[in-house]
């Protein structure tokens, strides 16, 4: 069976969703010992599978098969929680908004044998949203799964676990292979009184300290459920920050994954459906005040609804006329951080995450130490021109120094990476330099992704190394073949300072550092001297 834990206090029927196709056969209150519970069971009916129409269109054969999926749910209130035990398709009836996120993981962190894990599924907490699932039939320690301790959202784990305190553990004195996520898949007692004891034992295990567990990092960063008690207060702070209130938290912009590749080609962005005003156009140097000035004119209680409804559309021209890419929700463009009761909460890609405050400080310390690894390369002064090719002009200016070469906009292509930049500038000692003006918008994720893709291609794909040396020889015929091992991130518009990086950008930076180490590359940092941009208001009414 599957075990979920939900916030207590509701009538038991309120924990279940109403499913039109459900044929409920059992729906009654029952006693487990002295605890009144609710038992619901039946079948979910389907007249035809979802793929029937497609098969019919191809073959002319009628595939309208009906189907039944039996389900069972037992709701057990043990204040302050309510537990939901589900059988068959019963999990489909439990209201996920009321489920405690990561409940099963918290049990697993404390009871799984970390030396014999069988499966780990995770996703990257960055713009890529990369998802991976790795399994070892014979079991492995964490090293075999190559899990990043920072910025990795662990979603599911399976492996043998110590079930002491539960009926199974007492009767067998053996470990059992469990699965954990938001739910806990484990054996539970058949006797009503013993089941209640098992549920209380699970709750006690979840409350145990986790300092001894190698998996404890998995609980440090978790998605926030919509029903979370802090959700309304967090959204209120976000709404205030959108209107320019700097006391609510730190607000910024970041390129969504949907448009990272389009940014380089775009000449402007058209903003649609933000408030009651007409669509308007901003240039590619999008800054926070392009939006906060608009949000100020919207009532605070309506700002998040407008954030959800507004769309950003990349355009090739500089007046927002030539659409060329998909529109994205404006909510994906904002990042926001605030602290409540010593816990850091982050809004990223339209989703909320909770990050433990102690974990945040640990991250900051490691990033601060990493940023001390400075490059000795020299860069000219960057004076913004306001032109679309501003970065390219700077790279060409840098390449006028002896030993420096400009590869900006000189794209490479491999089977795994059809179009990417090997770097922006090659240094005199074959350093691979990636240049970016960060300014007021934290485009750090774009910079990190560019550096990682290039390093992986050069290390893993012979075509990339060949193209790199071909490009270098065209610029400097007598230069020796390159085998680069140093990656430099050079920025203007701000300096490399841990206080100027969002927590999620810090996580991405630590992940990049770890990846480059695996690739036998050293990561260095450089601050480019610059003149701050004097922004002429590039906001125009869209036709």
């Amino acid at each position: 069976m599957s075990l979920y834990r939900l916030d207590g206090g509701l009538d038991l029927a309120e924990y279940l969703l109403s499913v039109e196709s459900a044929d409920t056969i059992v729906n009654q209150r029952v006693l487990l010992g002295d605890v009144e519970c609710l038992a619901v069971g039946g079948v979910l009916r389907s007249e035809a599978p979802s793929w029937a129409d497609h098969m019919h269109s191809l073959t002319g054969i009628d595939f309208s098969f009906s189907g039944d999926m039996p389900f069972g749910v037992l709701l057990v209130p043990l204040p302050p929680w309510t537990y939901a035990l589900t059988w068959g398709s019963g999990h489909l009836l439990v209201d996920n908004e009321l489920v405690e996120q990561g409940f099963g993981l918290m049990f697993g962190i404390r009871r799984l044998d970390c030396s014999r894990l069988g499966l780990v599924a995770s996703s990257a907490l960055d713009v890529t949203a990369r998802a991976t699932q790795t399994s070892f039939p014979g079991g492995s320690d964490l090293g075999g799964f190559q899990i990043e301790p920072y910025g990795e959202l662990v979603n599911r784990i399976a492996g043998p676990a110590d079930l002491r305190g539960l009926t199974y553990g007492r009767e067998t004195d053996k470990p059992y292979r469990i699965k954990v996520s938001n739910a806990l898949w484990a054996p539970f007692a058949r006797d009503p009184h013993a089941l209640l004891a098992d549920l209380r034992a699970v709750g006690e295990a979840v409350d145990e300290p986790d300092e001894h567990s190698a998996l404890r990092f998995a609980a440090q960063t978790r998605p926030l459920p919509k029903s979370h008690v802090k959700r309304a207060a967090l959204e209120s702070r976000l709404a205030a920050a959108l209107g320019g209130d700097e006391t609510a938290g730190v607000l910024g912009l970041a390129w969504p994954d949907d448009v990272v590749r389009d940014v380089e080609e775009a000449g402007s962005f058209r903003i649609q459906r933000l408030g009651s005003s007409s669509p308007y156009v901003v240039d590619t140097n999008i800054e926070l005040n392009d939006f906060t000035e608009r949000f100020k004119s919207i009532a605070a209680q309506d700002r998040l609804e407008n954030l959800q409804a507004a769309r950003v559309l990349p355009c090739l021209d500089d007046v927002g006329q030539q659409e060329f890419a998909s529109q994205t929700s404006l909510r994906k463009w904002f990042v926001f951080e605030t602290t409540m009761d010593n816990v850091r909460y982050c809004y990223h890609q339209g989703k909320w995450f909770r990050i433990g405050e102690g974990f945040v400080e640990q991250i900051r310390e490691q990033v601060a130490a990493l940023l001390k690894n400075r490059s000795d390369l020299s860069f000219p002064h960057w004076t913004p021109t306001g032109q679309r090719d501003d970065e390219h002009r700077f790279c060409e200016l840098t390449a006028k120094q002896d030993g420096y070469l400009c590869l900006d906009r000189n794209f490479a292509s491999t089977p795994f990476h059809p179009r990417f930049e090997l770097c922006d500038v090659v240094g005199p000692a074959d350093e691979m330099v990636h240049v970016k003006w960060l300014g007021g918008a934290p485009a750090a994720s774009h910079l990190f992704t560019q550096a990682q893709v290039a390093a992986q291609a050069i290390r893993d794909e012979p075509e990339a190394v060949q193209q790199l040396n071909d490009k270098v020889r065209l610029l400097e015929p007598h230069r020796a073949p390159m085998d680069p091992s140093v990656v430099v991130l050079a920025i203007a518009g701000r300096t490399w300072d841990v206080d100027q990086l969002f927590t999620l950008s810090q996580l991405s930076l630590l992940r990049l550092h770890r990846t480059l180490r695996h690739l036998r590359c050293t990561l260095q940092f450089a601050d480019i001297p610059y003149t701050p941009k004097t922004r002429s208001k590039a906001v125009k009414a869209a036709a």
Side-chain angles (χ1 to χ4, degrees):
M1 69 182 72
S2 305
L3 177 66
Y4 297 86
R5 193 162 78 171
L6 308 95
D7 294 331
L10 299 179
D11 181 82
L12 296 180
E14 296 183 57
Y15 291 105
L16 301 181
L17 300 173
S18 176
V19 182
E20 292 183 2
S21 62
D23 185 357
T24 302
I25 300 172
V26 174
N27 186 353
Q28 66 185 67
R29 305 279 170 156
V30 297
L31 283 176
L32 264 66
D34 58 352
V35 179
E36 182 179 287
C37 307
L38 177 63
V40 179
V43 294
L44 295 171
R45 299 192 182 279
S46 172
E47 294 303 320
S50 60
W51 45 263
D53 287 344
H54 194 183
M55 284 289 288
H56 178 74
S57 68
L58 295 173
T59 66
I61 301 173
D62 182 9
F63 285 86
S64 297
F65 307 129
S66 61
D68 293 335
M69 296 187 295
F71 67 83
V73 181
L74 180 64
L75 295 168
V76 184
L78 293 177
W81 307 100
T82 292
Y83 291 88
L85 296 93
T86 70
W87 293 260
S89 301
H91 63 282
L92 299 175
L93 276 74
V94 178
D95 188 345
N96 191 57
E97 295 302 329
L98 301 176
V99 170
E100 182 184 10
Q101 302 296 299
F103 158 67
L105 282 170
M106 289 190 290
F107 181 86
I109 287 169
R110 292 155 175 80
R111 293 300 185 88
L112 281 164
D113 183 346
C114 296
S115 67
R116 293 192 295 150
L117 298 177
L119 177 147
V120 176
S122 64
S123 56
L125 190 58
D126 59 15
V127 297
T128 68
R130 168 186 51 80
T132 60
Q133 177 174 305
T134 306
S135 60
F136 283 86
S140 172
D141 60 17
L142 272 175
F145 294 91
Q146 297 185 359
I147 293 293
E148 304 287 354
Y150 308 105
E152 196 84 5
L153 198 61
V154 176
N155 303 311
R156 189 166 66 260
I157 311 175
D162 176 4
L163 297 186
R164 68 181 183 278
L166 276 71
T167 301
Y168 177 89
R170 289 194 303 271
E171 292 185 352
T172 69
D173 196 29
K174 295 179 180 179
Y176 187 90
R177 190 180 191 275
I178 66 171
K179 291 187 294 181
V180 296
S181 60
N182 289 337
L184 165 62
W185 288 268
F188 291 96
R190 294 173 178 267
D191 176 77
H193 293 280
L195 174 63
L196 294 176
D198 282 356
L199 296 181
R200 292 188 174 102
V202 169
E204 291 171 1
V206 168
D207 291 336
E208 292 173 358
D210 63 359
E211 287 84 357
H212 68 284
S213 175
L215 289 168
R216 66 184 306 233
F217 72 90
Q220 297 290 349
T221 305
R222 302 307 312 160
L224 208 65
K226 291 182 179 179
S227 59
H228 193 277
V229 65
K230 300 286 188 184
R231 185 97 181 196
L234 290 169
E235 291 185 344
S236 178
R237 288 194 183 185
L238 173 57
L242 288 170
D245 183 355
E246 296 182 358
T247 65
V250 183
L251 182 72
L253 296 171
W255 306 124
D257 184 46
D258 312 58
V259 299
V260 165
R261 294 186 178 182
D262 300 329
V263 169
E264 297 295 339
E265 299 180 47
S268 63
F269 295 95
R270 188 164 77 235
I271 316 301
Q272 303 178 149
R273 293 157 51 187
L274 179 56
S276 58
S277 60
S278 300
Y280 67 101
V281 175
V282 298
D283 63 28
T284 52
N285 297 315
I286 296 181
E287 294 187 0
L288 197 56
N289 63 5
D290 289 330
F291 300 106
T292 54
E293 290 301 315
R294 298 277 173 152
F295 276 109
K296 284 180 182 178
S297 64
I298 301 172
Q301 65 270 21
D302 298 328
R303 287 173 185 164
L304 293 190
E305 183 178 344
N306 277 268
L307 180 66
Q308 176 77 21
R311 294 292 184 267
V312 180
L313 184 62
C315 298
L316 285 173
D317 61 322
D318 61 359
V319 293
Q321 294 292 315
Q322 301 177 33
E323 306 171 9
F324 79 100
S326 300
Q327 60 182 7
T328 55
S329 173
L330 184 57
R331 65 184 173 85
K332 291 189 174 183
W333 287 72
F334 281 94
V335 288
F336 176 68
E337 292 186 10
T338 190
T339 300
M340 286 186 179
D341 299 330
N342 296 320
V343 176
R344 183 71 58 88
Y345 295 93
C346 301
Y347 181 83
H348 176 71
Q349 293 282 297
K351 299 178 182 179
W352 285 101
F353 298 90
R354 174 193 61 77
I355 302 178
E357 188 63 18
F359 193 53
V360 172
E361 292 308 313
Q362 186 179 0
I363 293 167
R364 285 175 53 85
E365 291 175 2
Q366 297 205 24
V367 170
L370 179 61
L371 293 178
K372 292 179 180 178
N373 193 17
R374 296 287 168 153
S375 170
D376 294 330
L377 296 178
S378 62
F379 294 90
H381 194 93
W382 189 336
T383 302
T385 65
Q387 302 300 314
R388 288 185 58 191
D389 63 348
D390 197 32
E391 180 181 304
H392 184 66
R393 295 186 187 193
F394 176 77
C395 291
E396 289 185 322
L397 180 62
T398 303
K400 291 182 178 180
Q401 303 177 107
D402 290 341
Y404 292 75
L405 304 174
C406 175
L407 291 186
D408 183 54
R409 297 189 175 182
N410 194 340
F411 294 99
S413 178
T414 69
F416 286 107
H417 301 96
R419 187 174 185 269
F420 70 101
E421 287 185 326
L422 292 158
C423 65
D424 295 313
V425 172
V426 175
D430 293 349
E431 300 93 341
M432 306 296 286
V433 185
H434 299 273
V435 175
K436 182 67 64 179
W437 181 287
L438 295 188
S445 294
H446 188 197
L447 178 65
F448 300 160
T449 299
Q450 177 181 314
Q452 179 172 323
V453 167
Q456 288 175 327
I458 290 171
R459 279 287 184 255
D460 298 337
E461 300 182 79
E463 301 94 338
V465 179
Q466 182 63 51
Q467 291 177 52
L468 172 63
N469 281 297
D470 288 346
K471 294 176 187 296
V472 167
R473 275 194 295 270
L474 285 175
L475 298 171
E476 189 176 320
H478 302 296
R479 191 156 181 157
M482 291 181 58
D483 183 21
S485 61
V486 176
V487 175
V488 179
L489 302 182
I491 63 169
R494 61 176 60 194
T495 59
W496 285 116
D497 184 340
V498 68
D499 292 326
Q500 296 189 43
L501 289 173
F502 282 89
T503 301
L504 297 182
S505 292
Q506 295 176 36
L507 290 170
S508 295
L509 184 56
L510 288 175
R511 186 184 304 111
L512 172 64
H513 171 58
R514 188 180 178 92
T515 298
L516 292 180
R517 284 182 59 188
H518 284 308
L519 296 171
R520 305 182 308 282
C521 291
T522 300
L523 180 61
Q524 297 180 350
F525 301 87
D527 294 327
I528 298 171
Y530 67 94
T531 299
K533 292 182 179 180
T534 56
R535 182 175 176 78
S536 58
K537 195 62 179 176
V539 178
K540 319 172 188 68

